[in-house]
Amino acid sequence: MAEKPWDGRFSEKTDKSVEAFTASIAYDRRLYPYDIAGSIAHCRMLAKVGVITDEEANGLVAGLGAIKRELDRGEFAFDDSLEDIHMHIETRLLQVAGKVAQKLHTARSRNDQVALDVRMYLRDETRRSIGLLQTLRAVLVDLAEGHQDVVMPGYTHAQRAQPVLFAHHMMAYYEMFTRDQARFSDCLERINVMPLGSAALAGTTYPIDRHHVAKLLDFPRVSANSMDAVSDRDFAMEFLAAASICMVHLSRLSEEFVLWSTSEFGFVTLPDAFATGSSIMPQKKNPDIPEIVRGKTGRVFGALVALLTLMKNLPMSYNRDMQEDKEPLFDAVDTIKACLSINVQMIPRITVNRETMRKAASVGFLNATDMADYLVSQGLPFRQAHACVGSAVAHALGKGKELDQLTLEELKTFSPLIKADIFDHLTLKAMIDRRQSPGGTATQNVARAIAAAREVLADENRT
Ligand code: ARG
């Protein structure tokens, strides 16, 4: 059984069951690259301000490098009695670098150390999510651009409402994911603050140079209050809130892929390589990818709620409860990355069934609003036009016809303002292209939106 740093104060050895219960090494081991980078920066700084000698710092840094290689190669032995990744590395350093290892923890506590590790980890992962979101947005723009003439029914209340361009529908998701990415970038500003030097909670008596550590670890700022720095996890909650909203968007898109790939809709065909079959029903092809993405959404929401609940009653400053932040956070990070990345791979391979979409947009009176708009253009107030077209729809329903399948004579019975040119207003193309209001689905608008998105993505790639 390993010795504990606190043995001097205790008259009994820690019970085995307590070691197992309190250990976090099973999951916080993933922080090791950050823990080691943070320790190296800490050593360099201690030497710079004269708390340890350069020679001591060199010994510590070399030892930490050797441990990093052991961990990278999977040759490092873990042991519950050493609790967490911080104590594992420090204990191993004593074996690798000798007595000098006992100086590593000068002017530092595990409280500021773990805050540093989690911030460095989340900084990297947030950047990765941002990169994946950029790719996803580019993939959606590609899909929109390749299908600019595809018309589909637009829905409200899950009822066919008005025709829209499929590209317009896809660009709606582009907008959602652009905001998601902005939320991650915004929260990165607050993740990217260097907490080391806060020590246990009150700061330290050593003449440390926190800005030097920040520079070595590429942090633009250091935290302003030691108690805040060791005791808040709002940066992680913010990441999880952004991740949860992003999962809402992924889940909505997934829901549409599931519906659209049914035989009832038939709007899209998913690639065989991104679907699975049934073990009993030979005919089945199931949309498991979007279903699982939709299903995984709850884990990310759960992680957000777990952290909010974890933190809500904690008195200042560090409390051991906070060790429970890691599993939900890591799980949410893994989940969001997996969901973004599978969509990036699947979406370019989706087949869009343009004829099925067009047919669906042609049935169900999706041109009723346009007939009312036509009457308004002939001088009728909109409410009267609405009522008039309502009666025409009721009549057409009785005949089993669409509005544009009624004869001019039939249509005229609903309003004398109706002329032969009404039929030009009721085609899919006219309905799409007349919606030129900013943000509307007109072909030109959508082409402009696609071009603007291309510019934005190119700009982002340049910076
Ligand atoms: N494993 C701990 C955590 O994740 C590290 C900090 C422990 N600090 C302490 N005073 N026991 O929060």
Side-chain angles (χ1 to χ4, degrees):
M1 192 186 290
E3 284 178 12
K4 300 274 193 295
W6 53 80
D7 274 347
R9 156 76 177 74
F10 284 66
S11 56
E12 291 188 307
K13 289 276 170 215
T14 315
D15 198 273
K16 276 272 168 227
S17 62
V18 173
E19 288 185 341
F21 186 71
T22 57
S24 54
I25 188 61
Y27 46 88
D28 69 12
R29 63 176 70 177
R30 83 156 78 182
L31 295 174
Y32 83 81
Y34 307 105
D35 199 75
I36 289 176
S39 287
I40 289 175
H42 183 64
C43 290
R44 291 289 180 220
M45 181 278 290
L46 288 179
K48 178 173 181 277
V49 301
V51 171
I52 61 175
T53 66
D54 282 338
E55 203 192 328
E56 287 171 332
N58 289 341
L60 289 167
V61 170
L64 288 163
I67 295 172
K68 167 94 171 24
R69 286 188 291 279
E70 286 177 8
L71 280 153
D72 287 343
R73 286 195 298 260
E75 288 165 2
F76 189 97
F78 295 100
D79 172 3
D80 267 4
S81 73
L82 289 171
E83 239 180 73
D84 56 26
I85 190 62
H86 325 296
M87 299 228 294
H88 272 82
I89 291 171
E90 194 184 326
T91 304
R92 180 76 184 124
L93 192 60
L94 195 61
Q95 295 156 359
V96 171
K99 268 198 155 54
V100 68
Q102 293 174 337
K103 296 202 169 183
L104 173 69
H105 215 51
T106 316
R108 188 174 75 169
S109 153
R110 277 186 295 162
N111 299 349
D112 55 346
Q113 190 178 355
V114 73
L116 175 69
D117 293 3
V118 175
R119 282 177 183 271
M120 287 177 73
Y121 160 80
L122 200 54
R123 175 172 75 171
D124 273 1
E125 293 296 358
T126 304
R127 286 181 181 142
R128 274 185 202 123
S129 292
I130 289 172
L132 283 167
L133 274 164
Q134 278 174 321
T135 314
L136 177 62
R137 287 162 57 226
V139 158
L140 288 168
V141 174
D142 289 343
L143 188 65
E145 192 166 46
H147 299 86
Q148 287 188 71
D149 56 340
V150 176
V151 179
M152 66 180 289
Y155 295 80
T156 63
H157 312 265
Q159 306 288 323
R160 288 182 194 169
Q162 291 172 348
V164 292
L165 288 183
F166 170 73
H168 195 51
H169 196 129
M170 285 302 113
M171 289 304 286
Y173 283 101
Y174 167 86
E175 294 294 334
M176 295 178 225
F177 292 123
T178 302
R179 291 193 297 278
D180 290 337
Q181 188 184 315
R183 266 184 282 274
F184 279 124
S185 300
D186 193 39
C187 113
L188 189 55
E189 296 279 302
R190 284 174 290 277
I191 293 172
N192 207 3
V193 176
M194 211 288 297
L196 205 67
S198 303
L201 77 163
T204 172
T205 54
Y206 297 91
I208 58 172
D209 182 348
R210 299 187 61 211
H211 292 282
H212 186 64
V213 176
K215 204 172 131 214
L216 293 175
L217 297 174
D218 204 22
F219 279 96
R221 286 189 291 150
V222 304
S223 54
N225 181 298
S226 59
M227 296 180 77
D228 173 42
V230 296
S231 76
D232 208 349
R233 294 291 181 267
D234 57 354
F235 65 92
M237 294 182 236
E238 233 182 299
F239 172 89
L240 292 171
S244 293
I245 297 173
C246 182
M247 285 303 296
V248 171
H249 294 149
L250 282 172
S251 185
R252 294 185 67 189
L253 179 60
S254 300
E255 168 77 5
E256 303 216 83
F257 288 151
V258 170
L259 288 176
W260 290 353
S261 62
T262 57
S263 17
E264 284 72 11
F265 274 85
F267 286 2
V268 298
T269 307
L270 299 179
D272 277 1
F274 287 77
T276 63
S278 158
S279 58
I280 171 169
M281 296 165 282
Q283 86 284 10
K284 290 292 291 292
K285 175 174 160 189
N286 297 327
D288 299 41
I289 303 300
E291 290 178 277
I292 292 175
V293 170
R294 198 174 57 181
K296 280 186 187 289
T297 305
R299 306 166 73 121
V300 180
F301 294 2
L304 172 62
V305 173
L307 257 74
L308 293 170
T309 313
L310 171 67
M311 296 304 296
K312 74 179 264 290
N313 280 347
L314 292 187
M316 292 264 266
S317 55
Y318 177 83
N319 298 273
R320 187 65 182 275
D321 317 41
M322 288 158 68
Q323 177 167 300
E324 289 291 313
D325 63 353
K326 285 169 207 63
E327 281 174 295
L329 180 63
F330 295 168
D331 186 68
V333 163
D334 293 344
T335 303
I336 188 102
K337 280 195 304 186
C339 293
L340 288 169
S341 130
I342 197 77
N343 271 290
V344 159
Q345 295 170 71
M346 182 187 73
I347 291 173
R349 303 197 44 196
I350 290 177
T351 308
V352 175
N353 301 327
R354 56 181 73 221
E355 258 325 293
T356 313
M357 285 194 182
R358 170 173 287 273
K359 275 195 195 120
S362 310
V363 178
F365 307 100
L366 284 84
N367 49 12
T369 315
D370 291 76
M371 182 167 160
D373 289 343
Y374 171 85
L375 289 169
V376 169
S377 75
Q378 305 301 305
L380 206 62
F382 184 76
R383 272 288 155 253
Q384 285 180 39
H386 186 288
C388 169
V389 178
S391 315
V393 168
H395 170 83
L397 272 172
K399 299 245 157 171
K401 287 181 173 174
E402 289 293 318
L403 286 173
D404 51 300
Q405 292 170 335
L406 298 176
T407 63
L408 184 57
E409 283 58 46
E410 275 177 299
L411 284 170
K412 275 178 185 288
T413 63
F414 299 99
S415 168
L417 295 171
I418 293 178
K419 312 261 156 46
D421 65 348
I422 176 110
F423 294 106
D424 300 338
H425 287 71
L426 302 184
T427 66
L428 287 176
K429 185 166 170 34
M431 288 191 281
I432 294 287
D433 284 340
R434 289 168 58 85
R435 288 186 161 69
Q436 287 172 16
S437 55
T441 191
T443 305
Q444 271 193 357
N445 278 7
V446 174
R448 268 198 297 272
I450 290 171
R454 286 257 177 257
E455 285 277 306
V456 170
L457 287 165
D459 265 1
E460 287 177 20
N461 279 335
R462 272 193 288 275
T463 52

